[in-house]
Amino acid sequence: MSLILCLLVGLSFGAGVFLILRRTLFKVAMGIALIGHAVNLFIFTVGGLTEGKSAIIEASATTLAKDAADPLPQALILTAIVIGFGMQAFLVVLIRNAQKYAGISDTKKLEEGLQ
């Protein structure tokens, strides 16, 4: 299972880098989103995968079971998802305004307009 997740992280990170290197602003935004999801999946994979073991301490226990999932990466991923969605919404607004007011949807035209 971990091997599949590692391959999925590598493929999605590679696809994200490929999209960032494209000229269309929308593809750049999708590449950034894909890299963000790949990083979240990487943190989840590194945190350890356990089947049927929750990261919640039982009422009768004082510590977390040794074979339970680590709750810290899960909390970090939840925070990263919220920040990632906020960043994606901001990028969509920037792209929409660039297309609406400047008529730019291509990075080459954006580069020429700055010179």
Side-chain angles (χ1 to χ4, degrees), residues 27-42:
K27 290 180 182 177
V28 171
M30 289 297 103
I32 290 172
L34 198 56
I35 286 177
H37 293 308
V39 169
N40 288 340
L41 188 58
F42 174 71

Side-chain angles (χ1 to χ4, degrees), residues 16 18-33 87-88 90-111 114:
F18 177 77
L19 285 173
I20 285 179
L21 296 175
R22 301 295 96 198
R23 287 175 50 177
T24 309
L25 291 176
F26 181 74
K27 290 180 182 177
V28 171
M30 289 297 103
I32 290 172
M87 186 181 73
Q88 290 170 17
F90 183 68
L91 278 174
V92 167
V93 170
L94 283 178
I95 291 170
R96 183 177 180 275
N97 285 338
Q99 290 174 347
K100 182 178 178 182
Y101 295 116
I104 297 171
S105 63
D106 193 353
T107 55
K108 185 73 171 173
K109 293 178 186 175
L110 180 63
E111 205 174 279
L114 292 175

Side-chain angles (χ1 to χ4, degrees), residues 33-55:
L34 198 56
I35 286 177
H37 293 308
V39 169
N40 288 340
L41 188 58
F42 174 71
I43 293 171
F44 181 70
T45 305
V46 170
L49 301 172
T50 57
E51 188 174 331
K53 303 288 183 184
S54 66

